[in-house]
Amino acid sequence: VLIYEMIAGRIPFAGDSVSETFANMINAEPQPLSRFASNVPNELQRIVAKMLRKTKDERYQTMRDLLTDLKNLNEGLSFAEKLERTASPEAENATAIPQATPGDANKETAETQRSFSQKIKNRKWVVALTVFAALIAGAIVFYQNWNLNQPPSVQDLYLQGRFYAVRENRADNDRAIQMLEQAVALDPNHALAHAELARAYGTRYFQFEPHQKQWEEKSHVELEKAFALAPDLPEAHEVRGFLLWMPANRFPHEQAIGAYRRALVLNPNLDEPHQQLGKIYLHIGLLEEALTEFRKSLELNPGNTMARYRIGIVLIHQGKYEEALRSLKSTPPDINPAIVGRDTVWLLISLDRREEAAELLAELIEKNPIDEGGQFASFKALLSALAGNAEQAEREIRDALEKGKGFGHFHHAAYIIACAYAALNKPEEAMRFLQMAAEDGYPCYPLFERDANLDSIRQNPKFQSFLSAQKRQWEYYKSLPQL
């Protein structure tokens, strides 16, 4: 509108009244610039007409596109002007009639004046376009610098927080909480940010600080805020499933599955509910169903690295060790270095590569001396038991138990401790920790049924009774209609 008015001396949709002007803006096309100004370059008329198109997709999509066309036009006019200036007088007179009449002289004078006038007008267009293009370029630079210096928007904070929230390592959890707390402070009505902050708080409680009840309380408060703002928000139902599936709730598998299924009914294109469903199916022994969910998650979002990682874990549970090793090697370890490292150690032990497992375990402990959940201590105990060092294994089991109190994934450590006791030929202790793992969120019948680490207790009547009960429960899970 501005450039049209600069050239034509009037706005493009002017009417005799305000209502007529508005009607013209909606229904009428602007008059051609050539009607109000002479010698307007055709290309400039095209550019202005494109800027005033009523259909958004027909207009310039970015300021850079407009600037490019203006620069091209400006260069074309400048080039034409240079050609005129460099044309020699001899060349102009080469075809002139040697003896001109007075009338011819007057005609030549008029043509010369018109040519000079045209050159002046062209030069004015060059100057005007140069100025206008410079203004556009300056506006772009100003906007870019202004945008870089602005604090991130609420939506940016939410998206960045969500990226870090699903990665399940402490550093990223810290970043997620910081960004999402900023987001809800700036916009208390941002339901998605509240839901994602609930997840971040829940991860802090489940993975890193299980004795700090404040994180559990905060997670539920944020989730309730999300539901109050948007009762049918799919992401809120997804986070509800995540918060349900906790040790404090005794891992209610069916209720958590229901929450994730509800999220997918509301939005079938979400990838994370599939990943979370696969995680639950893995823990209750529905291994093929878990693989299906992880693959659906990756179809929707190839960047869901937790889904990619857990495919490797399913393969371990299925005894497909070489395939599992390839899968784990393709997983970025920084998503959760402790858990990825833990499962790689387990895989190497299963492949009877105990020296490599011990070396990797030493590296992991050096990098993660806290050993959250006693995960590494439990594998140290298993390696010691397999080597026949009972006393060392017992010390490491005690260490694992001390570190694992309240830890969300301690059921995995409990299972490895059961394997260590089986290797030490202590069936009573092995059964105690097997029962603990199954009751604490890890009733994985297919693993119990085939893992060679339990072979020494397979003839034990208590183990056989335990395995029969686990099979019945597994068959019940397979029959659930929501699967």
Side-chain angles (χ1 to χ4, degrees):
V1 173
L2 175 62
I3 193 170
Y4 185 99
E5 189 174 1
M6 287 172 60
I7 297 168
R10 53 174 284 161
I11 60 176
F13 302 104
D16 294 332
S17 64
V18 173
S19 59
E20 185 179 349
T21 298
F22 277 114
N24 289 343
M25 290 172 64
I26 297 170
N27 301 312
E29 294 297 331
Q31 295 290 333
L33 285 170
S34 57
R35 179 174 176 180
F36 306 107
S38 60
N39 301 305
V40 180
N42 291 334
E43 178 62 7
L44 179 57
Q45 293 191 66
R46 183 194 69 79
I47 291 171
V48 174
K50 183 174 180 177
M51 294 165 67
L52 295 172
R53 292 273 189 261
K54 298 192 184 302
T55 303
K56 180 180 178 181
D57 291 343
E58 295 178 358
R59 298 197 292 267
Y60 285 100
Q61 299 302 299
T62 68
M63 293 288 279
R64 287 190 178 280
D65 294 339
L66 170 60
L67 181 60
T68 298
D69 277 1
L70 286 171
K71 283 184 174 180
N72 290 339
L73 172 59
N74 191 32
E75 290 170 1
L77 291 172
S78 298
F79 182 70
E81 185 188 11
K82 288 177 183 177
L83 285 179
E84 290 184 11
R85 285 204 305 267
T86 55
S88 65
E90 291 81 8
E92 290 182 358
N93 295 328
T95 57
I97 300 174
Q99 295 180 347
T101 64
D104 292 333
N106 292 335
K107 182 178 179 181
E108 183 178 349
T109 301
E111 289 294 334
T112 301
Q113 290 175 341
R114 279 195 295 271
S115 176
F116 179 75
S117 175
Q118 180 63 45
K119 289 178 184 179
I120 293 297
K121 288 174 181 176
N122 279 346
R123 188 166 297 172
K124 287 180 179 179
W125 284 122
V126 172
V127 172
L129 286 168
T130 300
V131 171
F132 190 73
L135 288 173
I136 296 291
I140 291 174
V141 172
F142 172 78
Y143 173 77
Q144 287 177 333
N145 291 334
W146 175 84
N147 197 44
L148 287 172
N149 293 326
Q150 293 304 301
S153 69
V154 173
Q155 186 66 6
D156 287 341
L157 288 167
Y158 160 70
L159 292 172
Q160 292 170 18
R162 179 174 173 79
F163 170 79
Y164 288 116
V166 298
R167 290 173 64 82
E168 297 187 12
N169 66 71
R170 184 180 276 274
D172 286 340
N173 183 250
D174 287 340
R175 295 187 187 98
I177 289 174
Q178 180 184 14
M179 291 174 178
L180 293 164
E181 285 180 341
Q182 289 181 52
V184 298
L186 289 169
D187 183 2
N189 295 320
H190 200 298
L192 283 168
H194 282 294
E196 206 57 46
L197 182 55
R199 184 208 304 277
Y201 286 152
T203 300
R204 174 62 60 89
Y205 178 61
F206 184 84
Q207 295 270 22
F208 309 117
E209 297 181 14
H211 303 298
Q212 300 293 325
K213 294 287 288 183
Q214 60 169 320
W215 299 116
E216 182 185 26
E217 294 167 3
K218 284 186 171 186
S219 67
H220 286 284
V221 168
E222 291 301 321
L223 183 61
E224 288 307 312
K225 288 180 180 178
F227 275 122
L229 291 165
D232 289 326
L233 184 68
E235 290 83 354
H237 287 276
E238 172 203 322
V239 174
R240 171 179 280 172
F242 178 76
L243 296 181
L244 275 170
W245 202 74
M246 294 269 181
N249 302 321
R250 304 291 294 171
F251 293 100
H253 306 300
E254 293 176 59
Q255 289 86 345
I257 289 170
Y260 290 130
R261 287 296 177 199
R262 176 63 178 158
L264 289 171
V265 167
L266 292 168
N267 185 352
N269 294 318
L270 290 177
D271 62 291
E272 189 60 19
H274 286 293
Q275 195 276 129
Q276 295 290 344
L277 278 171
K279 180 176 72 174
I280 296 178
Y281 293 162
L282 166 61
H283 281 74
I284 62 178
L286 303 181
L287 303 182
E288 289 300 327
E289 292 83 352
L291 279 177
T292 297
E293 294 300 329
F294 293 141
R295 286 166 179 159
K296 284 180 181 177
S297 179
L298 288 171
E299 285 174 8
L300 291 165
N301 176 15
N304 194 316
T305 50
M306 291 305 294
R308 195 191 323 167
Y309 148 69
R310 288 195 165 109
I311 286 176
I313 307 310
V314 173
L315 295 170
I316 293 176
H317 284 67
Q318 292 177 329
K320 301 175 181 178
Y321 300 129
E322 293 293 346
E323 193 175 345
L325 185 60
R326 289 193 294 272
S327 179
L328 286 184
K329 284 182 176 179
S330 73
T331 303
D334 62 331
I335 57 168
N336 191 325
I339 290 181
V340 175
R342 172 201 72 188
D343 290 319
T344 305
V345 169
W346 186 23
L347 178 54
L348 291 171
I349 292 172
S350 300
L351 287 166
D352 203 26
R353 292 159 59 175
R354 297 179 193 173
E355 288 186 9
E356 290 178 60
E359 290 174 4
L360 176 58
L361 193 55
E363 292 176 14
L364 291 167
I365 293 171
E366 184 179 355
K367 293 177 181 176
N368 304 274
I370 296 175
D371 186 16
E372 289 154 333
Q375 302 171 86
F376 302 149
S378 66
F379 277 102
K380 285 180 70 178
L382 177 56
L383 285 169
S384 295
L386 291 170
N389 192 337
E391 186 176 342
Q392 180 70 19
E394 289 283 5
R395 283 198 299 270
E396 288 156 349
I397 287 171
R398 288 193 295 271
D399 186 28
L401 292 173
E402 181 62 30
K403 291 176 176 177
K405 290 178 181 178
F407 179 66
H409 280 297
F410 184 72
H411 43 234
H412 295 288
Y415 177 74
I416 297 303
I417 291 171
C419 292
Y421 275 124
L424 293 173
N425 198 25
K426 293 186 176 184
E428 292 295 327
E429 290 86 346
M431 287 306 308
R432 180 161 68 93
F433 283 97
L434 264 181
Q435 196 73 45
M436 182 189 297
E439 292 176 356
D440 193 34
Y442 195 29
C444 190
Y445 165 73
L447 177 64
F448 305 157
E449 192 272 334
R450 59 131 223 100
D451 190 355
N453 287 309
L454 300 176
D455 284 352
S456 66
I457 61 171
R458 291 204 179 275
Q459 302 308 312
N460 183 285
K462 289 184 177 180
F463 178 80
Q464 292 176 350
S465 175
F466 166 81
L467 198 61
S468 295
Q470 292 299 306
K471 184 177 182 181
R472 288 192 297 273
Q473 187 178 42
W474 177 71
E475 289 171 341
Y476 165 74
Y477 287 136
K478 285 183 72 70
S479 70
L480 291 175
Q482 63 261 46
L483 298 180

